[in-house]
């Protein structure tokens, strides 16, 4: 907050981080996938977007916000589930890496970004996460995002964990 007051931090800029490591990509990407990855990195680090809760390093906050850097994170494996979560949001108790996350810890819902991000941005941020922090999963296409957006357009609320798990079990 003081950096903003002092004029050293601009709205929309990524918060400063002591962690200056680069995280990927973890495989050779085609030119199109590399472009999505770069866009996704920018989106991930926007003010009040992914890095705000999941941290620039993808480590999350223990017991509060789940990590994205967990080796073999099953939440990242299903591209359709990931797309639904990014578009519509998520809330409810879940366990990941031996930690419990959810409302009993005072965690608010993950907000959906459907109204803020276009298909390229959503595909980019999912591609960035799936290719960063030690993850090595294939890129996600804007066409897949467009299809999932169309399928879920009537949905106004975020997904509950148990609901999305029925649709896309781990």
């Amino acid at each position: 907050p003081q950096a903003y007051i002092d004029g050293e931090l601009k709205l929309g800029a990524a918060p400063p981080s002591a962690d200056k490591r680069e995280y990927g990509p973890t495989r050779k990407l085609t030119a199109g996938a590399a472009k999505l990855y770069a866009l996704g990195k920018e989106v991930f680090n926007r003010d009040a977007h992914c890095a705000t809760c999941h941290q620039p390093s993808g480590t999350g906050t223990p017991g509060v916000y789940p990590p994205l850097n967990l080796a073999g994170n099953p939440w990242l494996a299903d591209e359709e589930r990931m797309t639904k979560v990014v578009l519509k949001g998520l809330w409810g108790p879940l366990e990941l890496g031996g930690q419990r996350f959810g409302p009993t810890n005072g965690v608010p819902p993950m907000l959906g970004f459907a109204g803020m991000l276009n298909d390229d941005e959503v595909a980019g941020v999912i591609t960035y996460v799936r290719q960063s922090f030690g993850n090595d999963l294939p890129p996600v296409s804007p066409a897949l995002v467009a299809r999932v957006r169309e399928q879920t357009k009537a949905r106004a609320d975020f997904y509950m964990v148990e609901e999305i798990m029925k649709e896309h079990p781990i």
Side-chain angles (χ1 to χ4, degrees):
Q2 188 62 43
Y4 176 74
I5 293 168
D6 293 341
E8 297 168 6
L9 181 65
K10 295 183 170 80
L11 287 178
S17 172
D19 186 352
K20 302 295 184 197
R21 292 178 289 173
E22 292 293 323
Y23 291 100
T26 52
R27 64 174 69 181
K28 179 103 171 105
L29 299 175
T30 64
K35 185 176 176 183
L36 278 176
Y37 178 90
L39 175 61
K41 181 177 182 178
E42 185 269 320
V43 170
F44 186 90
N45 288 292
R46 284 180 188 165
D47 190 38
H49 282 59
C50 315
T52 303
C53 298
H54 295 289
Q55 304 303 306
S57 60
T59 56
T61 303
V64 182
Y65 300 111
L68 301 174
N69 69 339
L70 183 66
N73 184 336
W75 280 89
L76 305 180
D78 185 318
E79 59 190 19
E80 198 167 299
R81 178 181 49 236
M82 276 286 291
T83 303
K84 287 177 178 179
V85 168
V86 172
L87 289 173
K88 298 299 180 175
L90 185 69
W91 197 43
L94 67 92
E95 189 167 320
L96 182 63
Q99 293 185 63
R100 292 203 47 81
F101 301 91
T104 57
N105 297 358
V107 179
M110 176 184 155
L111 300 177
F113 288 86
M116 292 181 272
L117 301 176
N118 65 37
D119 295 343
D120 286 347
E121 290 170 315
V122 172
V125 78
I126 295 170
T127 295
Y128 175 70
V129 169
R130 288 167 55 107
Q131 276 291 296
S132 297
F133 319 123
N135 300 315
D136 187 14
L137 295 163
V140 170
S141 73
L144 175 112
V145 174
R147 181 176 54 80
V148 173
R149 187 186 296 270
E150 179 63 24
Q151 289 172 349
T152 61
K153 71 181 178 184
R155 182 182 191 90
D157 295 329
F158 43 77
Y159 279 93
M160 298 301 294
V161 170
E162 63 186 34
E163 178 185 17
I164 199 138
M165 293 307 292
K166 285 180 186 173
E167 291 182 21
H168 304 275
I170 292 178

